[in-house]
Amino acid sequence: MDRKYSRESSDEDEVKKDRRISRDKNRQGRDKSHQDKNLHRELDRVDKKKSYQSFDEDEQRTERNRNRHDRDRKHHGENRHSRGQERENRKESYQSSDEDEWKNRRHDRRERETENENKNMDRHLHHDSKDERDKELSRKSEHRRNWTDNDRERKHSKHDYKYSNSQDQRDKEVSGWREDRRNIGEKEKVGTGTIDPLQPPRQDKQSENNLNPDSSNLGKSGGVYIPPFKLARMMKEVQDKSSIEYQRLTWDALRKSINGLVNKVNATNIKNIIPELFGENLIRGRGLFCRSCMKSQMASPGFTDVFAALVAVVNTKFPEVGDLLLRRIVLQLKRAYKRNDKPQLLAAVKFIAHLVNQQVAHEIIALELLTVLLENPTDDSVEVAVGFVTECGSILKDLSPKGLHGIFERFRGILHEGEIDKRVQFLIEGLFAIRKAKFEGYPAVRPELDLVEQEDQLTHEISLQEEIDPEIALDIFKSDPNFLENEKRYEDLKKNILGEESDDEEDRSDAGSDDEEDEDDEDESEEEDEEQMQINDETETNLVNLRRTIYLTIMSSVDFEEAGHKLLKIKLEPGQEIELCVMLLECCSQERTYLRYYGLLGQRFCKINKVYQENFEKCFVQQYSMIHRLETNKLRNVAKFFAHLLGTDALPWHVLSYIRLTEEDTTSSSRIFIKILFQELSEHLGIRLLNERLTDPTMQDSFESIFPRDNPKNTRFSINFFTSIGLGGLTENLREYLKNMPRLIMQQQKPMSDSDEESQSSDSSDSDSESSSSESESDSEESEREDRRRGKKRRKTGR
């Protein structure tokens, strides 16, 4: 039998050798035929080129003869008439233009023909090349080998896979196949050395040739997309939670969840994404997290600050994740710099800049990177450096001002050298302008991304000169013998990070179902805690923002109706109405001249709500008490504003009771304020209506301080004041009172003793003399003013 088998094998070898020899001969014959064809084609091409060259030479000769003939014709036709010469010249120009067009067309047609022939020849040569033929042969051999392997596995498999339409039968066969493989693995672990003879024979060869020895146990989901519901079902079907198949399924689920969370993070939802991210096992998937962050940042560099903020939060709890990410980014930067890959370099530089802003990376790496970029400046390196300083210059100004100053001195030197492009020079000049503005508009960290306290952040120091290990093995699945223990440890760590909120809520609900009184006690305690936790803002930030909003609304409105409509839309808390009145009064006082716009706006608010009327009354009292602090212009605007409110009855007239018009109680500023106030009221209402208002018997209590009757001195001061401002008509009642004052005093003092009468008589005589003198003085002043007015009228009429 051995001889027979050896003869059969020798015969088979001889047959194979003959086949190989015949294939080689056929291949050589084909190669020779292709070479002959190529030679013939090249010879044809050379002949065509020669024929084209000879044809071009003939054309050049004919053109020379034609030009010579034209020259002779022009020489002989010089003595002819000018008109005939012009006619001949036109004909020659037309003929020459037609010939040139014909030549150009013929030349273009020949070039197109040659190009098409060259393309066809190149296509045939490329198709018939040896490399292409070897690729096709290798493809065919691989296809044939795969087909034979599949046929062999189909023969030796324990269960023949029957193509049926029933889904239940297929699921049963797949589950049986998994159980067989699990049994095989358990036997191998026990060490019995027994192998199921029905196992496919190619499995040992595959395990020998495969670089990853665990690839045979990766499970069905290795490299294949599985829907989430199906993946969850497969994980439920696995009973042994420590098996390699279950670990593979959890690895795929971890990779998908981390990629999904990183891809959907932005500035608005980052606070919601972070708890979900900590819910995943970041210690096991730290390589996946770093790779996902780098890929997402490369795809969308505009969200670099968001990814940096996410990494900063993770770095506070897992510093090894931040260190790994920083090492990989630095390695990516070095590779991009060596390969002159500008897009990848820009992305890596921007990521490092924002990590420096978040203080995940130390500022030394930023200064070292800028030194490397500006050591041998080129257009691209300087552009990258300008972008890097723009991103992280704000924090470098605080952390390392001397280092940043040195970098800017290097920029200034490059600018003075003038060896770079104009566009890059403009970029450097723009960077100096940004530095002069103290990096306004380029903050280190946006307020919504400032999520980490400076004390909690851990900063990593890495140099560009160090040898960096990226730990790529963390991105690949590996079986963990202590899988369940590590998962349990991370669950405990997750509870410490996120807190046991869910467990507390469940306990509270159970306790509430048992005892309702306990719930009430808990609610009361929670309310007390909330009351204790109320925070009082002593910086008055909200008040400043409210004042800014009111000011911008007032100044940006076209008329008072629009301003009132917009201001009413602002939601004011109880007690903040006074801020609107104060801002309106301040805006009015800041104007160069008084604008009726502010008076109409204040009138509208006083008529809408009585609260604003009371607040404007408070503003009147406050302004009059501090009137000596105002400039003349501001004082005039404020007086006219309140005069408008009084003239339109928007403000009650009893506010005038706060004004006491005496020599001791007034200053120069307050007298100017009263003067402008009453002059504006006389213009609005007229002197008659104003006098009627001031003589109203129901309001006399409010006007006693303006027209005092307690002392003759104060009475005379009031009369003289209103007379001097041109409103003497308002003091008629006060003058009569001053005339009758001695008589009233006599009537009051009649019952007194004789001595008292004598003293009173002497006092009355003095008062009479004083009153007569004052009356004479006032009459003389009035007569002088009337004479002046008459003189002015006469001058006007004379003119």
Side-chain angles (χ1 to χ4, degrees):
M1 290 295 287
D2 294 334
R3 290 177 185 174
K4 194 174 185 179
Y5 182 79
S6 62
R7 286 174 188 171
E8 289 177 357
S9 61
S10 62
D11 294 335
E12 288 177 358
D13 293 332
E14 287 177 358
V15 170
K16 288 180 181 178
K17 286 181 182 179
D18 294 336
R19 288 179 182 174
R20 287 175 187 169
I21 292 167
S22 63
R23 286 175 189 168
D24 295 333
K25 287 181 180 179
N26 294 329
R27 192 179 298 163
Q28 290 176 0
R30 264 187 260 136
D31 293 335
K32 287 181 181 179
S33 63
H34 285 303
Q35 289 176 0
D36 294 335
K37 288 180 182 178
N38 293 333
L39 288 173
H40 286 301
R41 287 171 183 166
E42 288 178 358
L43 290 173
D44 293 334
R45 191 189 299 169
V46 171
D47 293 334
K48 286 181 181 179
K49 286 183 179 179
K50 288 181 180 180
S51 63
Y52 292 153
Q53 290 176 358
S54 61
F55 188 79
D56 292 331
E57 289 176 358
D58 294 335
E59 285 182 350
Q60 289 176 0
R61 287 174 190 168
T62 54
E63 286 178 1
R64 286 179 201 152
N65 295 328
R66 192 179 292 108
N67 292 329
R68 198 178 300 149
H69 181 65
D70 293 336
R71 266 187 255 118
D72 294 336
R73 191 188 303 163
K74 288 179 183 179
H75 181 70
H76 290 296
E78 285 178 357
N79 296 326
R80 293 181 182 179
H81 196 265
S82 61
R83 292 180 181 176
Q85 190 173 3
E86 289 177 358
R87 197 178 295 122
E88 288 177 358
N89 290 331
R90 288 174 186 170
K91 289 181 180 179
E92 289 174 359
S93 64
Y94 293 152
Q95 289 177 0
S96 61
S97 63
D98 293 335
E99 288 174 357
D100 291 333
E101 288 179 0
W102 180 73
K103 288 176 185 177
N104 291 328
R105 290 176 183 172
R106 186 171 58 187
H107 185 66
D108 294 333
R109 188 172 64 252
R110 287 174 183 169
E111 285 182 352
R112 276 192 234 105
E113 290 176 357
T114 54
E115 287 178 0
N116 292 328
E117 289 179 359
N118 292 330
K119 286 180 181 178
N120 292 327
M121 291 177 67
D122 293 334
R123 194 182 298 118
H124 288 297
L125 290 171
H126 180 70
H127 181 69
D128 295 333
S129 62
K130 187 175 180 181
D131 296 335
E132 189 70 23
R133 190 167 57 253
D134 292 339
K135 289 179 181 178
E136 290 179 357
L137 291 173
S138 63
R139 281 196 217 103
K140 290 179 181 179
S141 62
E142 287 177 1
H143 180 69
R144 193 179 294 110
R145 195 180 301 115
N146 292 330
W147 185 81
T148 54
D149 293 340
N150 292 329
D151 191 14
R152 192 175 301 157
E153 289 178 359
R154 205 178 290 119
K155 289 179 181 179
H156 290 282
S157 63
K158 183 177 180 179
H159 300 285
D160 294 331
Y161 190 80
K162 297 180 181 181
Y163 293 92
S164 62
N165 293 327
S166 61
Q167 186 66 26
D168 298 334
Q169 189 173 357
R170 291 183 183 178
D171 294 338
K172 289 179 182 179
E173 291 175 355
V174 171
S175 61
W177 183 45
R178 287 177 185 163
E179 290 177 359
D180 293 338
R181 292 184 62 183
R182 196 181 298 117
N183 294 329
I184 293 167
E186 290 175 357
K187 290 179 182 179
E188 290 177 353
K189 286 180 182 178
V190 172
T192 55
T194 60
I195 299 174
D196 195 349
L198 297 175
Q199 188 176 0
R202 285 185 59 83
Q203 189 173 0
D204 296 335
K205 293 182 180 180
Q206 289 177 359
S207 62
E208 291 176 0
N209 296 328
N210 197 355
L211 296 175
N212 190 1
D214 295 331
S215 62
S216 61
N217 297 322
L218 293 180
K220 187 177 179 180
S221 63
V224 180
Y225 172 74
I226 297 176
F229 71 93
K230 196 169 183 180
L231 185 63
R233 187 179 65 186
M234 291 171 64
M235 292 175 68
K236 287 181 180 179
E237 290 177 357
V238 178
Q239 297 178 357
D240 188 7
K241 301 298 182 182
S242 62
S243 62
I244 297 175
E245 184 181 358
Y246 183 77
Q247 293 183 27
R248 177 68 188 190
L249 294 175
T250 55
W251 175 266
D252 290 338
L254 178 65
R255 175 174 52 80
K256 291 175 182 178
S257 61
I258 289 176
N259 288 337
L261 292 172
V262 172
N263 287 333
K264 71 180 181 180
V265 69
N266 54 38
T268 56
N269 65 357
I270 186 170
K271 294 181 180 179
N272 300 324
I273 294 294
I274 288 170
E276 296 181 15
L277 190 62
F278 279 122
E280 306 296 334
N281 193 343
L282 289 179
I283 295 176
R284 185 187 182 198
R286 58 185 182 274
L288 299 175
F289 175 73
C290 296
R291 184 176 66 177
S292 180
C293 287
M294 292 176 69
K295 284 186 177 181
S296 300
Q297 189 268 340
M298 179 70 71
S300 55
F303 289 87
T304 305
D305 53 350
V306 180
F307 296 124
L310 185 66
V311 174
V313 176
V314 174
N315 185 61
T316 57
K317 304 300 180 183
F318 304 108
E320 61 272 10
V321 178
D323 182 50
L324 178 61
L325 179 67
L326 187 59
R327 279 188 280 130
R328 289 190 178 185
I329 294 171
V330 171
L331 185 62
Q332 180 185 359
L333 185 144
K334 292 168 71 174
R335 289 174 180 171
Y337 185 75
K338 290 179 181 178
R339 297 172 184 171
N340 293 326
D341 190 354
K342 186 177 177 181
Q344 193 171 6
L345 181 65
L346 284 171
V349 163
K350 193 169 184 179
F351 209 163
I352 290 176
H354 284 286
L355 289 177
V356 172
N357 289 337
Q358 293 284 350
Q359 296 187 11
V360 177
H362 201 271
E363 63 270 14
I364 291 176
I365 188 173
L367 299 175
E368 189 176 359
L369 176 60
L370 289 170
T371 305
V372 171
L373 290 172
L374 300 177
E375 185 177 3
N376 297 317
T378 60
D379 293 343
D380 292 334
S381 67
V382 173
E383 184 179 355
V384 173
V386 169
F388 183 78
V389 175
T390 304
E391 295 291 340
C392 66
S394 178
I395 195 168
L396 289 178
K397 179 169 66 69
D398 299 332
L399 297 178
S400 180
K402 292 183 179 180
L404 186 64
H405 177 71
I407 296 299
F408 273 98
E409 289 298 322
R410 179 58 181 153
F411 275 122
R412 186 176 281 107
I414 294 170
L415 197 61
H416 290 321
E417 290 172 2
E419 296 179 357
I420 57 177
D421 192 16
K422 288 286 184 184
R423 182 181 66 85
V424 185
Q425 291 180 12
F426 286 138
L427 290 176
I428 296 176
E429 291 175 359
L431 181 61
F432 275 98
I434 294 170
R435 182 198 183 190
K436 187 176 181 181
K438 297 181 180 180
F439 294 93
E440 186 177 357
Y442 298 93
V445 182
R446 287 190 286 169
E448 59 268 22
L449 297 177
D450 191 6
L451 305 174
V452 181
E453 296 293 335
Q454 190 173 1
E455 300 174 353
D456 298 336
Q457 189 57 268
L458 297 172
T459 306
H460 304 282
E461 294 185 13
I462 294 178
S463 176
L464 296 176
Q465 307 299 330
E466 297 178 359
E467 292 184 0
I468 297 171
D469 182 16
E471 298 184 18
I472 302 175
L474 295 174
D475 300 346
I476 305 169
F477 168 73
K478 287 184 178 179
S479 60
D480 186 7
N482 300 323
F483 175 73
L484 296 177
E485 295 179 1
N486 294 332
E487 288 291 323
K488 189 175 181 180
R489 288 177 186 173
Y490 187 80
E491 287 293 328
D492 298 336
L493 185 61
K494 182 175 71 173
K495 289 180 181 179
N496 293 330
I497 294 172
L498 300 177
E500 300 180 356
E501 296 178 357
S502 61
D503 296 334
D504 294 342
E505 290 177 358
E506 291 177 359
D507 295 337
R508 287 173 187 170
S509 63
D510 295 336
S513 62
D514 295 336
D515 299 326
E516 294 180 356
E517 295 179 357
D518 294 339
E519 281 187 0
D520 298 335
D521 296 336
E522 288 178 359
D523 294 336
E524 290 177 359
S525 62
E526 287 178 359
E527 290 177 358
E528 291 177 357
D529 294 337
E530 289 178 358
E531 291 177 358
Q532 292 177 358
M533 289 297 292
Q534 285 182 355
I535 298 171
N536 295 324
D537 187 10
E538 298 294 340
T539 60
E540 296 184 350
T541 306
N542 297 331
L543 187 60
V544 173
N545 293 331
L546 176 63
R547 289 176 179 173
R548 185 186 296 113
T549 305
I550 294 171
Y551 173 78
L552 294 175
T553 306
I554 292 171
M555 301 305 291
S556 63
S557 299
V558 178
D559 56 357
F560 73 96
E561 292 181 350
E562 180 186 352
H565 185 68
K566 289 181 179 178
L567 290 172
L568 287 174
K569 286 185 176 180
I570 298 174
K571 294 182 179 179
L572 298 174
E573 295 181 1
Q576 288 185 343
E577 293 84 1
I578 187 67
E579 300 297 332
L580 191 147
C581 301
V582 170
M583 287 305 301
L584 184 60
L585 198 58
E586 287 184 1
C587 292
C588 178
S589 64
Q590 294 295 330
E591 297 290 341
R592 292 184 179 179
T593 59
Y594 172 71
L595 298 178
R596 196 162 173 264
Y597 164 82
Y598 297 103
L600 293 171
L601 189 58
Q603 175 190 350
R604 180 61 59 88
F605 275 100
C606 289
K607 295 290 181 66
I608 288 173
N609 195 346
K610 194 175 180 180
V611 176
Y612 293 105
Q613 193 178 30
E614 295 173 356
N615 288 322
F616 275 115
E617 186 177 349
K618 292 179 183 177
C619 291
F620 180 85
V621 176
Q622 185 179 4
Q623 288 294 328
Y624 183 74
S625 63
M626 300 170 62
I627 202 70
H628 58 279
R629 298 183 183 180
L630 298 180
E631 299 175 359
T632 306
N633 189 29
K634 292 182 178 180
L635 190 148
R636 183 180 293 108
N637 291 340
V638 171
K640 289 184 177 182
F641 176 79
F642 284 113
H644 180 93
L645 295 183
L646 289 169
T648 56
D649 291 330
L651 200 65
W653 283 68
H654 65 78
V655 295
L656 297 177
S657 61
Y658 297 106
I659 299 175
R660 183 167 177 78
L661 188 57
T662 60
E663 189 175 0
E664 293 82 7
D665 296 328
T666 57
T667 60
S668 59
S669 299
S670 62
R671 292 187 200 112
I672 294 171
F673 176 79
I674 298 168
K675 171 190 170 183
I676 297 170
L677 179 68
F678 278 93
Q679 285 178 347
E680 285 293 318
L681 284 173
S682 65
E683 288 182 5
H684 279 293
L685 302 175
I687 191 69
R688 187 194 306 170
L689 186 58
L690 178 59
N691 195 9
E692 290 178 359
R693 287 286 183 91
L694 293 174
T695 56
D696 188 2
T698 59
M699 298 292 293
Q700 290 304 311
D701 295 338
S702 300
F703 300 147
E704 283 182 357
S705 58
I706 299 175
F707 303 107
R709 300 185 182 186
D710 55 347
N711 194 353
K713 182 181 177 182
N714 296 335
T715 306
R716 284 191 212 99
F717 181 81
S718 177
I719 292 170
N720 293 334
F721 176 78
F722 282 105
T723 305
S724 64
I725 65 175
L727 299 175
L730 301 177
T731 60
E732 291 179 357
N733 294 332
L734 200 62
R735 289 174 189 273
E736 292 179 0
Y737 175 78
L738 190 61
K739 287 180 183 179
N740 298 325
M741 185 178 288
R743 191 181 306 164
L744 295 173
I745 293 172
M746 289 292 292
Q747 291 177 358
Q748 290 176 0
Q749 293 182 352
K750 275 182 181 181
M752 297 180 68
S753 62
D754 296 335
S755 61
D756 293 337
E757 287 178 358
E758 290 177 359
S759 63
Q760 184 66 29
S761 62
S762 62
D763 292 335
S764 64
S765 61
D766 294 335
S767 64
D768 291 337
S769 61
E770 287 177 359
S771 63
S772 61
S773 62
S774 64
E775 286 176 0
S776 62
E777 288 176 0
S778 61
D779 294 336
S780 62
E781 287 178 358
E782 288 179 358
S783 61
E784 287 177 0
R785 284 177 185 168
E786 289 178 357
D787 293 337
R788 288 175 187 171
R789 290 175 185 171
R790 290 173 184 173
K792 290 181 181 178
K793 289 180 180 179
R794 288 173 185 172
R795 289 172 190 170
K796 290 179 180 178
T797 55
R799 290 178 184 175

